[in-house]
């Protein structure tokens, strides 16, 4: 392991800390976080390649290459089916009770993320992901927030069955940022 790779792993831990301590609605923490092992990282890249090929989505193939080339990958998700309890209606339901009933009726996920989701929980996820990416930037670690890798990480169960939405943040320390000048595979 190089000095840089060790530093990237340390920063990934600081990013997890930033995500965990980021502000959350009513102080309720439904954030899920994992740092992938190298085996999980390879498995994620392969699954993204298969998904992108099957669905003719070149940007999944592009992102799969980035996942494989990264020094570390942090995945942050949310338990979005847990209502905050403020009846704000942002989820599309008049009450949190109506949302909870509707979200319990969904049996199988057929889209990249499992919905419906509490909009306030999704905002919590965005704040946590932003805090983590900011921490990487502060420490000069190249990174990219990827919905593609997060959605496939859900398929692979890396954050457990209760996770409904996730984003992955691959990290790299090299002479040139691997997340720029990327070409979408057709």
């Amino acid at each position: 392991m190089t000095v840089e790779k060790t530093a990237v792993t340390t920063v990934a831990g600081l990013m997890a800390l930033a995500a965990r301590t980021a502000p959350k609605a009513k102080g309720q923490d439904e954030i899920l976080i994992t740092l992938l092992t190298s085996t999980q990282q390879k498995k994620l890249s392969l699954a993204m390649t298969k998904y992108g090929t099957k669905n003719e989505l070149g940007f999944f193939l592009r992102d799969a290459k980035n996942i494989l080339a990264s020094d570390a990958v942090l995945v942050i998700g949310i338990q979005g089916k847990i209502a905050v309890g403020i009846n704000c209606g942002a989820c599309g339901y008049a009450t949190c009770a109506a949302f909870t009933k509707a979200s319990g009726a969904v049996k199988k996920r057929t889209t990249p993320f499992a919905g419906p989701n509490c909009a306030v929980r999704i905002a919590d996820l965005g704040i946590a992901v932003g805090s983590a990416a900011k921490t990487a930037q502060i420490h000069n670690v190249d990174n990219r927030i990827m919905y593609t890798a997060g959605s496939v990480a859900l398929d692979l169960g890396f954050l457990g069955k209760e996770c409904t939405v996730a984003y992955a943040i691959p990290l790299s320390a090299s002479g040139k940022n691997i997340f720029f000048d990327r070409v979408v595979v057709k």
Side-chain angles (χ1 to χ4, degrees), residues 12-177:
L14 294 172
M15 293 168 65
L17 178 63
R20 178 66 61 215
T21 60
K24 294 166 191 77
K26 293 178 68 177
Q28 298 171 353
D29 187 359
E30 302 302 337
I31 296 290
L32 303 165
I33 305 169
T34 191
L35 179 61
L36 300 186
T37 65
S38 59
T39 301
Q40 288 174 318
Q41 194 170 323
K42 290 173 188 167
K43 189 174 180 179
L44 177 60
S45 177
L46 179 61
M48 290 172 67
T49 300
K50 286 181 180 177
Y51 184 88
T53 301
K54 177 183 174 188
N55 295 291
E56 298 180 356
L57 297 170
F59 61 99
F60 271 80
L61 304 175
R62 175 202 63 203
D63 290 356
K65 289 180 182 179
N66 278 150
I67 292 294
L68 194 58
S70 296
D71 295 317
V73 178
L74 188 70
V75 184
I76 305 172
I78 192 78
Q79 297 181 79
K81 293 191 183 297
I82 299 174
V84 173
I86 59 175
N87 297 328
C88 70
C91 64
Y93 296 92
T95 65
C96 290
F99 160 77
T100 300
K101 183 178 179 182
S103 66
V106 177
K107 299 297 180 205
K108 186 172 191 249
R109 182 166 60 92
T110 58
T111 55
F113 297 134
N117 284 283
C118 172
V120 177
R121 298 286 184 215
I122 297 300
D124 286 350
L125 175 60
I127 294 165
V129 168
S131 293
K134 169 210 60 163
T135 300
Q137 180 272 326
I138 287 170
H139 294 286
N140 302 309
V141 177
D142 296 331
N143 67 93
R144 188 74 150 199
I145 298 170
M146 293 186 177
Y147 118 84
T148 53
S151 67
V152 175
L154 282 178
D155 289 337
L156 296 173
F158 289 155
L159 289 171
K161 294 178 183 177
E162 300 304 314
C163 188
T164 56
V165 178
Y167 291 94
I169 308 176
L171 307 167
S172 174
S174 61
K176 180 179 183 323
N177 188 334

